[in-house]
Every structure is written in C-alpha cells, then in structure tokens.
Amino acid sequence: MKKFYYDAGIRIRNLREEGKFTREKFSEIVDISPKFLYEIETGQKGFSADTLYRISKGLSVSCEYILSGKECKKNQN
C-alpha cells in the first residue's frame, strides 16, 4: 500500500510543479496544510476521498489519474 501512496504523491507533486504552484499556495487552494501536502507528495501519509477530490480539482485532472496514472474513459452508451 505504501508504494500506492508514493506513486500517487509523485503524480501530485509533478502536476503541482507543472502548474507552477508552490506547495504553500496549492495547499491553500485545496484547504490542507503545507506539511500534510508534503507528506502526501512524499508518500508518508495517505489521504481521504475528500482530499483526493479537492487535489484532483485543484490540478484539473481526474481522481483516476492521480490514483493510477491513467485517464479514465467515459462510458459509451
């Protein structure tokens, strides 16, 4: 499970840096502490579904991408 959070944290950090957000600014946007964001990005801590949702919205990516590195495909009915 730790590798799962580590990999998700790497994706979050890379996306945050691509978006030119400092850790402090992005943590304000998603309403978590900079320390907690650091712990997420380094895989030291997990996160709730609510935190994942706020992070994904702040980075304009799907929760699926953060969790797996793959974009989700919409169902074609």
Side-chain angles (χ1 to χ4, degrees), residues 11-72:
R11 283 188 281 279
I12 291 167
R13 186 181 72 229
N14 289 341
L15 289 165
R16 176 182 59 78
E17 289 174 348
E18 286 173 17
K20 307 282 191 243
F21 293 111
T22 64
R23 187 172 288 125
E24 290 75 21
K25 181 62 179 168
F26 190 69
S27 65
E28 284 180 28
I29 291 168
V30 298
D31 195 29
I32 60 175
S33 73
K35 181 179 185 229
F36 185 42
L37 180 57
Y38 170 79
E39 291 169 337
I40 290 172
E41 289 180 347
T42 58
Q44 295 175 34
K45 295 262 176 119
F47 42 82
S48 68
D50 178 61
T51 301
L52 171 63
Y53 177 79
R54 287 183 282 138
I55 289 172
S56 71
K57 291 301 172 201
L59 295 170
S60 300
V61 297
S62 68
C63 293
E64 175 75 14
Y65 180 76
I66 290 174
L67 295 175
S68 70
K70 300 175 186 171
E71 284 296 328
C72 62

